[in-house]
Amino acid sequence: MSKKYCYLFTEGNANMRELLGGKGANLAEMTNIGLPVPQGFTITTEACTQYYEDGQKINDGIFAEIMEYIEKMESITGKKFGDHENPLLVSVRSGARASMPGMMDTILNLGLNEDVVDVIAKKSNNPRWAWDCYRRFIQMYSDVVMEVGKKYFEQLIDEMKEKKGVTQDVDLTAEDLKELAMQFKAEYKSKIGQEFPADPKEQLMGAIKAVFRSWDNPRANVYRRDNDIPYSWGTAVNVQSMAFGNMGDDCGTGVAFTRNPATGEKKLFGEFLTNAQGEDVVAGVRTPMPIAEMAEKFPEAFQQFEGVCKTLEDHYHDMQDMEFTVEHGKLYMLQTRNGKRTPAAALKIACDLVDEGMIDEKQAVAMIEPRSLDTLLHPQFDAEALKKAAIIGKALGASPGAASGKIVFSAEDAKEWAERGEKVVLVRLETSPEDIEGMKAAQGILTVRGGMTSHAAVVARGMGKCCVSGCGDIKMDEENKKFELSGKTYREGDWISLNGSTGNIYDGAVPTTDAVIGGEFGRVMGWADQFRRLKVRTNADTPHDAAQARKFGAQGIGLCRTEHMFFNEDRIPAIRRMICSDTVEEREAALAVLEPMQQSDFEGIYEAMEGCPVTIRFLDPPLHEFVPTEEADIELLAKDMGKSVAEIKAIIASLHEFNPMMGHRGCRLAVTFPEIAVMQTRAVIRAAINVQKRHPDWNMVPEIMIPLVGEVKELKYVKSVVVKTADEELAAAGMKMKYLVGTMIEIPRAALTADDIAKEAEFFSFGTNDLTQMTFGFSRDDAGKFLGAYYDKKIYENDPFAKLDQVGVGKLVEMAAKLGRATRPDLHLGICGEHGGDPSSVEFCHRVGLDYVSCSPFRVPIARLAAAQAAIKEQRQ
Ligand code: ADP
Ligand code: MG
Ligand code: MG
């Protein structure tokens, strides 16, 4: 049998969301449970996919099936398209599987033409209504199907209102509306060059195609990418007979939530507008009444509606967001779905539903969107103050939170100003590793360049610091410490505010409030922890970050990068001396200065982690990242080392690499300069010994991670240095302590030879940032330049640095895990890198049997929840 592309509402149900889209599936479900739904049919998402496969055409088979279903609909409703007795009017509504609010437009009152409008005007004895429907239809059809801008029609309405001396649409008479309809048609003809279509079937096919087309509009594509919705899903189309809320004062239309979507409070929440249609309620044409008032003005319909709300909640076990219309006192349901809600409301509703016995704890955990927790963990703007604030720009919401401060233009200034107690926002063209201190000191970061995975974005997310990136509208003059935005010049010391979630930039200071982790949040996280198998660690380089992560429930550190500490002002001279040494002795002398610093850093981190496991990664980046670029710094270093400026410059020049990310870095540093590994091992072991002595009840097991291994022999060599040093240290201290030496799997060759690598490595940590970079063969820092074109051409749908590429990179991960465990069954496996906090990547890690994920402190709760959801999902399958 050939595929079925159309389903009557009576043929579908809520489980057919993939085929019928969310709206269609729920219209069918509401029909099934006996609620008053204007009848119609759904054209499937597969018809949409087919439309694209056929080169944006509706093929003959699908066309015939649509015609057949129109006839079915006609016999169900007893009305006929274009009929002069009893004409059928319909709405054409898009509906994807996942709701994509406002992405695709709806057309109402389709089926009208000049004959039909006369028929319904006479029959209803309500010409005002008839002409109101017609002018709305022409307007929507022109806008959605033919893309004649709305504004031309709105202009005509405004002119008409002015001419008639009225302010509200409802005050226009039948005659006025008729005249408007004629003007609209003329407008259509002048813009399109053809008469407005009069044949309802032609109108219908035009509308259906427009819905299919809208699946591929730029707004929809961006929304999908942001929300992990695959392009391949397609959208369904619903054709539904009209219910009219615009037939007079005993009619109206409304939207409502069964619970308050902002707070979660269990109380009907919504608005109702009399004598209105469709979007009027939300579009602000008139001020609607709160739903409570509807109870007084439409007691019967309201009572009926309350009953429907209860039925729907009991049926869906979740808060519902509904659209309805009252036609001459009778209620019609037009839509229901699980309502979108604020993260705080989501937690309250989940807990309330458990307490009401509507759902169990697993369902509660499963219904919270992990990523939404993010906004609960950062400072927020004061809601009242925000309403009054002026938006001066919008860019990428790269790292959530709210920030308000005085503008500074350099990391040094940020630090200096912050030290004297000022709140600052760091505004830069883009940031680089030297800016880290300044970024830390700032309330927030605003950059002119860079995307969601730019340095600023990645580092800010790691710190949990608000960041708005890529604001190309800024005309930057870093040298003179000023920029222009929105026609105003901003100078150092001027106040601005940033919203790192929306990307909004505000003029002046907007007060912020600290995030509170309320009781319901804790309750849901407690449940999540019971259900998950994956452990959640954090990526933290400082005791401060480690402590933050502990508060958020981290069970250890999966990645402690030792080099970040080297960028500190008091360390950088020593590390530069180490790099610019000519002899082993010179280098050892410089390392001796660094060693106690590293040791005390590690002690601080061990203390903050309270005995939880800590994986410390040895020095990784190319050395040239540390060398001075400023003349003055070079001179200082020369003096410090007793060398000439020319000699230092020669050393710096010799460190130049054509491709530093694939150059002298990672374990290659330890192979060439084993004394670095010796120093770092000593620091780790000594720190662990001290902390163990201070806390006899902790079981310290240091984990040393060798980066960038691609060949077992290089790991074996570095490991031998580590083991020799560690054993000497332990012997000298008279201590027995277990320690582990493992590696990052971040080079494809390491994944391919994981069975060999596991002979030496006691644990693997998948460094998926580098692994993605090396597998794709493009760097995270440069991908921004061309990924846009790849998205446009549908070659990639996501940034592989944000969401793990499960097909390619994931295959390496899975394979390496299997190979590794074949050699060493108790091999401990984890993932570090940005992916560790991305919910779909966490699910992948669960599936392939990793032991833990490690992510930045502010993503720890997200990963805990995502890990629980992965476990719950697996049980259900
Ligand atoms: P969106 O997904 O943007 O909400 P909808 O398809 O739900 O778009 O429709 C937009 C508006 O039109 C809603 O207010 C809806 O209730 C109204 N509407 C849609 N179909 C009908 C209909 N058959 N009768 C009356 N109103 C309708
Ligand atoms: Mg809707
Ligand atoms: Mg790496």
Side-chain angles (χ1 to χ4, degrees), residues 77-89 111 113 115-125 129:
T77 57
K79 297 177 179 177
K80 248 178 138 57
F81 250 165
D83 197 53
H84 287 190
E85 283 297 322
N86 215 355
L88 173 66
L89 301 186
N113 55 35
D115 295 339
V116 173
V117 83
D118 276 334
V119 172
I120 65 167
K122 284 213 187 73
K123 248 193 101 179
S124 65
N125 206 10
W129 161 68

PDB file of all heavy atoms in Angstrom, residues 77-89 111 113 115-125 129:
ATOM      1  N   THR A  77     -18.657  18.122   7.978  1.00  0.00           N
ATOM      2  CA  THR A  77     -19.177  19.405   8.475  1.00  0.00           C
ATOM      3  C   THR A  77     -20.491  19.800   7.799  1.00  0.00           C
ATOM      4  O   THR A  77     -21.161  20.724   8.257  1.00  0.00           O
ATOM      5  CB  THR A  77     -18.162  20.537   8.209  1.00  0.00           C
ATOM      6  OG1 THR A  77     -17.888  20.587   6.801  1.00  0.00           O
ATOM      7  CG2 THR A  77     -16.854  20.300   8.945  1.00  0.00           C
ATOM      8  N   GLY A  78     -20.830  19.115   6.731  1.00  0.00           N
ATOM      9  CA  GLY A  78     -22.043  19.499   6.001  1.00  0.00           C
ATOM     10  C   GLY A  78     -21.894  20.815   5.257  1.00  0.00           C
ATOM     11  O   GLY A  78     -22.875  21.453   4.894  1.00  0.00           O
ATOM     12  N   LYS A  79     -20.652  21.242   5.086  1.00  0.00           N
ATOM     13  CA  LYS A  79     -20.392  22.481   4.356  1.00  0.00           C
ATOM     14  C   LYS A  79     -19.530  22.164   3.148  1.00  0.00           C
ATOM     15  O   LYS A  79     -18.888  21.116   3.104  1.00  0.00           O
ATOM     16  CB  LYS A  79     -19.671  23.487   5.261  1.00  0.00           C
ATOM     17  CG  LYS A  79     -20.496  23.905   6.466  1.00  0.00           C
ATOM     18  CD  LYS A  79     -19.719  24.848   7.362  1.00  0.00           C
ATOM     19  CE  LYS A  79     -20.581  25.265   8.545  1.00  0.00           C
ATOM     20  NZ  LYS A  79     -19.854  26.108   9.473  1.00  0.00           N
ATOM     21  N   LYS A  80     -19.511  23.101   2.197  1.00  0.00           N
ATOM     22  CA  LYS A  80     -18.752  22.836   0.969  1.00  0.00           C
ATOM     23  C   LYS A  80     -17.904  24.042   0.599  1.00  0.00           C
ATOM     24  O   LYS A  80     -18.353  25.184   0.751  1.00  0.00           O
ATOM     25  CB  LYS A  80     -19.738  22.561  -0.167  1.00  0.00           C
ATOM     26  CG  LYS A  80     -19.726  21.124  -0.688  1.00  0.00           C
ATOM     27  CD  LYS A  80     -20.787  20.981  -1.775  1.00  0.00           C
ATOM     28  CE  LYS A  80     -20.286  20.161  -2.942  1.00  0.00           C
ATOM     29  NZ  LYS A  80     -19.831  18.831  -2.611  1.00  0.00           N
ATOM     30  N   PHE A  81     -16.715  23.764   0.122  1.00  0.00           N
ATOM     31  CA  PHE A  81     -15.830  24.835  -0.345  1.00  0.00           C
ATOM     32  C   PHE A  81     -16.522  25.651  -1.437  1.00  0.00           C
ATOM     33  O   PHE A  81     -17.018  25.078  -2.418  1.00  0.00           O
ATOM     34  CB  PHE A  81     -14.554  24.219  -0.934  1.00  0.00           C
ATOM     35  CG  PHE A  81     -13.334  24.462  -0.090  1.00  0.00           C
ATOM     36  CD1 PHE A  81     -12.170  23.712  -0.308  1.00  0.00           C
ATOM     37  CD2 PHE A  81     -13.299  25.431   0.906  1.00  0.00           C
ATOM     38  CE1 PHE A  81     -11.024  23.919   0.448  1.00  0.00           C
ATOM     39  CE2 PHE A  81     -12.159  25.641   1.662  1.00  0.00           C
ATOM     40  CZ  PHE A  81     -11.034  24.887   1.437  1.00  0.00           C
ATOM     41  N   GLY A  82     -16.581  26.958  -1.282  1.00  0.00           N
ATOM     42  CA  GLY A  82     -17.111  27.840  -2.326  1.00  0.00           C
ATOM     43  C   GLY A  82     -18.620  27.747  -2.520  1.00  0.00           C
ATOM     44  O   GLY A  82     -19.159  28.310  -3.475  1.00  0.00           O
ATOM     45  N   ASP A  83     -19.297  27.047  -1.632  1.00  0.00           N
ATOM     46  CA  ASP A  83     -20.728  26.822  -1.792  1.00  0.00           C
ATOM     47  C   ASP A  83     -21.527  28.113  -1.583  1.00  0.00           C
ATOM     48  O   ASP A  83     -21.129  28.991  -0.820  1.00  0.00           O
ATOM     49  CB  ASP A  83     -21.181  25.770  -0.774  1.00  0.00           C
ATOM     50  CG  ASP A  83     -22.523  25.182  -1.131  1.00  0.00           C
ATOM     51  OD1 ASP A  83     -22.673  24.705  -2.272  1.00  0.00           O
ATOM     52  OD2 ASP A  83     -23.425  25.219  -0.272  1.00  0.00           O
ATOM     53  N   HIS A  84     -22.667  28.202  -2.275  1.00  0.00           N
ATOM     54  CA  HIS A  84     -23.486  29.406  -2.132  1.00  0.00           C
ATOM     55  C   HIS A  84     -24.601  29.230  -1.123  1.00  0.00           C
ATOM     56  O   HIS A  84     -25.410  30.129  -0.900  1.00  0.00           O
ATOM     57  CB  HIS A  84     -24.039  29.827  -3.503  1.00  0.00           C
ATOM     58  CG  HIS A  84     -22.958  30.423  -4.361  1.00  0.00           C
ATOM     59  ND1 HIS A  84     -23.187  31.055  -5.555  1.00  0.00           N
ATOM     60  CD2 HIS A  84     -21.619  30.484  -4.174  1.00  0.00           C
ATOM     61  CE1 HIS A  84     -22.047  31.466  -6.079  1.00  0.00           C
ATOM     62  NE2 HIS A  84     -21.070  31.120  -5.244  1.00  0.00           N
ATOM     63  N   GLU A  85     -24.673  28.044  -0.505  1.00  0.00           N
ATOM     64  CA  GLU A  85     -25.660  27.803   0.558  1.00  0.00           C
ATOM     65  C   GLU A  85     -24.956  27.744   1.896  1.00  0.00           C
ATOM     66  O   GLU A  85     -25.296  28.454   2.837  1.00  0.00           O
ATOM     67  CB  GLU A  85     -26.364  26.452   0.307  1.00  0.00           C
ATOM     68  CG  GLU A  85     -27.410  26.485  -0.786  1.00  0.00           C
ATOM     69  CD  GLU A  85     -28.556  27.424  -0.434  1.00  0.00           C
ATOM     70  OE1 GLU A  85     -28.948  27.459   0.758  1.00  0.00           O
ATOM     71  OE2 GLU A  85     -29.026  28.138  -1.345  1.00  0.00           O
ATOM     72  N   ASN A  86     -23.976  26.856   1.922  1.00  0.00           N
ATOM     73  CA  ASN A  86     -23.334  26.539   3.197  1.00  0.00           C
ATOM     74  C   ASN A  86     -21.824  26.416   2.985  1.00  0.00           C
ATOM     75  O   ASN A  86     -21.284  25.318   2.974  1.00  0.00           O
ATOM     76  CB  ASN A  86     -23.935  25.213   3.695  1.00  0.00           C
ATOM     77  CG  ASN A  86     -24.044  25.212   5.193  1.00  0.00           C
ATOM     78  OD1 ASN A  86     -23.600  26.151   5.859  1.00  0.00           O
ATOM     79  ND2 ASN A  86     -24.618  24.161   5.742  1.00  0.00           N
ATOM     80  N   PRO A  87     -21.130  27.534   2.821  1.00  0.00           N
ATOM     81  CA  PRO A  87     -19.713  27.455   2.448  1.00  0.00           C
ATOM     82  C   PRO A  87     -18.820  27.029   3.616  1.00  0.00           C
ATOM     83  O   PRO A  87     -19.071  27.385   4.763  1.00  0.00           O
ATOM     84  CB  PRO A  87     -19.382  28.890   2.032  1.00  0.00           C
ATOM     85  CG  PRO A  87     -20.369  29.733   2.745  1.00  0.00           C
ATOM     86  CD  PRO A  87     -21.623  28.915   2.930  1.00  0.00           C
ATOM     87  N   LEU A  88     -17.813  26.256   3.262  1.00  0.00           N
ATOM     88  CA  LEU A  88     -16.830  25.807   4.249  1.00  0.00           C
ATOM     89  C   LEU A  88     -15.685  26.825   4.314  1.00  0.00           C
ATOM     90  O   LEU A  88     -15.111  27.188   3.296  1.00  0.00           O
ATOM     91  CB  LEU A  88     -16.262  24.445   3.818  1.00  0.00           C
ATOM     92  CG  LEU A  88     -15.102  23.885   4.640  1.00  0.00           C
ATOM     93  CD1 LEU A  88     -15.539  23.549   6.066  1.00  0.00           C
ATOM     94  CD2 LEU A  88     -14.500  22.648   3.968  1.00  0.00           C
ATOM     95  N   LEU A  89     -15.383  27.277   5.518  1.00  0.00           N
ATOM     96  CA  LEU A  89     -14.200  28.123   5.709  1.00  0.00           C
ATOM     97  C   LEU A  89     -13.242  27.392   6.629  1.00  0.00           C
ATOM     98  O   LEU A  89     -13.670  26.773   7.602  1.00  0.00           O
ATOM     99  CB  LEU A  89     -14.577  29.467   6.325  1.00  0.00           C
ATOM    100  CG  LEU A  89     -15.579  30.313   5.534  1.00  0.00           C
ATOM    101  CD1 LEU A  89     -15.741  31.677   6.201  1.00  0.00           C
ATOM    102  CD2 LEU A  89     -15.125  30.506   4.095  1.00  0.00           C
ATOM    103  N   GLY A 111     -11.190  30.169   1.956  1.00  0.00           N
ATOM    104  CA  GLY A 111     -12.396  29.688   1.294  1.00  0.00           C
ATOM    105  C   GLY A 111     -13.305  30.844   0.902  1.00  0.00           C
ATOM    106  O   GLY A 111     -14.315  30.655   0.230  1.00  0.00           O
ATOM    107  N   ASN A 113     -14.442  34.279  -1.024  1.00  0.00           N
ATOM    108  CA  ASN A 113     -14.263  35.145  -2.182  1.00  0.00           C
ATOM    109  C   ASN A 113     -15.467  36.078  -2.207  1.00  0.00           C
ATOM    110  O   ASN A 113     -16.300  36.026  -1.286  1.00  0.00           O
ATOM    111  CB  ASN A 113     -14.116  34.324  -3.468  1.00  0.00           C
ATOM    112  CG  ASN A 113     -15.283  33.377  -3.681  1.00  0.00           C
ATOM    113  OD1 ASN A 113     -16.427  33.719  -3.339  1.00  0.00           O
ATOM    114  ND2 ASN A 113     -15.012  32.199  -4.224  1.00  0.00           N
ATOM    115  N   ASP A 115     -18.253  36.198  -3.814  1.00  0.00           N
ATOM    116  CA  ASP A 115     -19.574  35.546  -3.769  1.00  0.00           C
ATOM    117  C   ASP A 115     -19.835  34.977  -2.386  1.00  0.00           C
ATOM    118  O   ASP A 115     -20.887  35.180  -1.797  1.00  0.00           O
ATOM    119  CB  ASP A 115     -19.635  34.394  -4.791  1.00  0.00           C
ATOM    120  CG  ASP A 115     -19.520  34.928  -6.209  1.00  0.00           C
ATOM    121  OD1 ASP A 115     -19.798  36.140  -6.402  1.00  0.00           O
ATOM    122  OD2 ASP A 115     -19.129  34.148  -7.105  1.00  0.00           O
ATOM    123  N   VAL A 116     -18.838  34.245  -1.898  1.00  0.00           N
ATOM    124  CA  VAL A 116     -19.027  33.557  -0.620  1.00  0.00           C
ATOM    125  C   VAL A 116     -19.231  34.562   0.515  1.00  0.00           C
ATOM    126  O   VAL A 116     -20.052  34.357   1.406  1.00  0.00           O
ATOM    127  CB  VAL A 116     -17.829  32.630  -0.324  1.00  0.00           C
ATOM    128  CG1 VAL A 116     -17.937  32.043   1.065  1.00  0.00           C
ATOM    129  CG2 VAL A 116     -17.746  31.519  -1.363  1.00  0.00           C
ATOM    130  N   VAL A 117     -18.528  35.665   0.439  1.00  0.00           N
ATOM    131  CA  VAL A 117     -18.667  36.643   1.514  1.00  0.00           C
ATOM    132  C   VAL A 117     -20.099  37.191   1.534  1.00  0.00           C
ATOM    133  O   VAL A 117     -20.695  37.401   2.602  1.00  0.00           O
ATOM    134  CB  VAL A 117     -17.573  37.741   1.406  1.00  0.00           C
ATOM    135  CG1 VAL A 117     -17.931  38.830   0.443  1.00  0.00           C
ATOM    136  CG2 VAL A 117     -17.279  38.338   2.764  1.00  0.00           C
ATOM    137  N   ASP A 118     -20.681  37.369   0.374  1.00  0.00           N
ATOM    138  CA  ASP A 118     -22.081  37.810   0.316  1.00  0.00           C
ATOM    139  C   ASP A 118     -23.011  36.775   0.924  1.00  0.00           C
ATOM    140  O   ASP A 118     -23.930  37.108   1.667  1.00  0.00           O
ATOM    141  CB  ASP A 118     -22.492  38.065  -1.147  1.00  0.00           C
ATOM    142  CG  ASP A 118     -22.090  39.464  -1.586  1.00  0.00           C
ATOM    143  OD1 ASP A 118     -21.973  40.347  -0.701  1.00  0.00           O
ATOM    144  OD2 ASP A 118     -21.874  39.666  -2.798  1.00  0.00           O
ATOM    145  N   VAL A 119     -22.734  35.514   0.587  1.00  0.00           N
ATOM    146  CA  VAL A 119     -23.580  34.437   1.114  1.00  0.00           C
ATOM    147  C   VAL A 119     -23.563  34.450   2.638  1.00  0.00           C
ATOM    148  O   VAL A 119     -24.613  34.462   3.283  1.00  0.00           O
ATOM    149  CB  VAL A 119     -23.093  33.059   0.596  1.00  0.00           C
ATOM    150  CG1 VAL A 119     -23.845  31.932   1.279  1.00  0.00           C
ATOM    151  CG2 VAL A 119     -23.247  32.978  -0.916  1.00  0.00           C
ATOM    152  N   ILE A 120     -22.377  34.483   3.218  1.00  0.00           N
ATOM    153  CA  ILE A 120     -22.331  34.385   4.685  1.00  0.00           C
ATOM    154  C   ILE A 120     -22.836  35.673   5.346  1.00  0.00           C
ATOM    155  O   ILE A 120     -23.400  35.627   6.438  1.00  0.00           O
ATOM    156  CB  ILE A 120     -20.938  33.972   5.231  1.00  0.00           C
ATOM    157  CG1 ILE A 120     -19.876  35.027   4.936  1.00  0.00           C
ATOM    158  CG2 ILE A 120     -20.501  32.615   4.697  1.00  0.00           C
ATOM    159  CD1 ILE A 120     -18.584  34.798   5.734  1.00  0.00           C
ATOM    160  N   ALA A 121     -22.669  36.795   4.656  1.00  0.00           N
ATOM    161  CA  ALA A 121     -23.177  38.049   5.218  1.00  0.00           C
ATOM    162  C   ALA A 121     -24.700  37.974   5.320  1.00  0.00           C
ATOM    163  O   ALA A 121     -25.286  38.313   6.355  1.00  0.00           O
ATOM    164  CB  ALA A 121     -22.765  39.230   4.345  1.00  0.00           C
ATOM    165  N   LYS A 122     -25.336  37.515   4.257  1.00  0.00           N
ATOM    166  CA  LYS A 122     -26.808  37.438   4.243  1.00  0.00           C
ATOM    167  C   LYS A 122     -27.297  36.400   5.239  1.00  0.00           C
ATOM    168  O   LYS A 122     -28.178  36.654   6.055  1.00  0.00           O
ATOM    169  CB  LYS A 122     -27.281  37.060   2.830  1.00  0.00           C
ATOM    170  CG  LYS A 122     -27.211  38.221   1.862  1.00  0.00           C
ATOM    171  CD  LYS A 122     -28.317  38.161   0.817  1.00  0.00           C
ATOM    172  CE  LYS A 122     -28.103  39.240  -0.247  1.00  0.00           C
ATOM    173  NZ  LYS A 122     -26.949  38.903  -1.165  1.00  0.00           N
ATOM    174  N   LYS A 123     -26.678  35.205   5.144  1.00  0.00           N
ATOM    175  CA  LYS A 123     -27.150  34.104   5.980  1.00  0.00           C
ATOM    176  C   LYS A 123     -27.060  34.411   7.469  1.00  0.00           C
ATOM    177  O   LYS A 123     -27.935  34.094   8.253  1.00  0.00           O
ATOM    178  CB  LYS A 123     -26.325  32.843   5.680  1.00  0.00           C
ATOM    179  CG  LYS A 123     -27.132  31.763   4.999  1.00  0.00           C
ATOM    180  CD  LYS A 123     -26.396  30.452   5.009  1.00  0.00           C
ATOM    181  CE  LYS A 123     -26.916  29.530   6.106  1.00  0.00           C
ATOM    182  NZ  LYS A 123     -26.252  28.257   6.135  1.00  0.00           N
ATOM    183  N   SER A 124     -25.968  35.055   7.823  1.00  0.00           N
ATOM    184  CA  SER A 124     -25.754  35.320   9.251  1.00  0.00           C
ATOM    185  C   SER A 124     -26.418  36.617   9.669  1.00  0.00           C
ATOM    186  O   SER A 124     -26.531  36.914  10.844  1.00  0.00           O
ATOM    187  CB  SER A 124     -24.261  35.436   9.531  1.00  0.00           C
ATOM    188  OG  SER A 124     -23.754  36.570   8.841  1.00  0.00           O
ATOM    189  N   ASN A 125     -26.834  37.372   8.674  1.00  0.00           N
ATOM    190  CA  ASN A 125     -27.353  38.691   8.965  1.00  0.00           C
ATOM    191  C   ASN A 125     -26.303  39.510   9.723  1.00  0.00           C
ATOM    192  O   ASN A 125     -26.631  40.311  10.603  1.00  0.00           O
ATOM    193  CB  ASN A 125     -28.642  38.564   9.789  1.00  0.00           C
ATOM    194  CG  ASN A 125     -29.526  39.779   9.565  1.00  0.00           C
ATOM    195  OD1 ASN A 125     -29.247  40.595   8.669  1.00  0.00           O
ATOM    196  ND2 ASN A 125     -30.564  39.921  10.369  1.00  0.00           N
ATOM    197  N   TRP A 129     -19.221  40.957  10.323  1.00  0.00           N
ATOM    198  CA  TRP A 129     -18.408  39.766  10.554  1.00  0.00           C
ATOM    199  C   TRP A 129     -17.860  39.218   9.234  1.00  0.00           C
ATOM    200  O   TRP A 129     -16.679  38.901   9.100  1.00  0.00           O
ATOM    201  CB  TRP A 129     -19.254  38.707  11.283  1.00  0.00           C
ATOM    202  CG  TRP A 129     -18.694  37.323  11.160  1.00  0.00           C
ATOM    203  CD1 TRP A 129     -17.548  36.862  11.705  1.00  0.00           C
ATOM    204  CD2 TRP A 129     -19.249  36.234  10.400  1.00  0.00           C
ATOM    205  NE1 TRP A 129     -17.330  35.560  11.356  1.00  0.00           N
ATOM    206  CE2 TRP A 129     -18.377  35.143  10.557  1.00  0.00           C
ATOM    207  CE3 TRP A 129     -20.407  36.077   9.620  1.00  0.00           C
ATOM    208  CZ2 TRP A 129     -18.610  33.913   9.951  1.00  0.00           C
ATOM    209  CZ3 TRP A 129     -20.632  34.848   9.027  1.00  0.00           C
ATOM    210  CH2 TRP A 129     -19.746  33.774   9.188  1.00  0.00           C
TER     211      TRP A 129
END
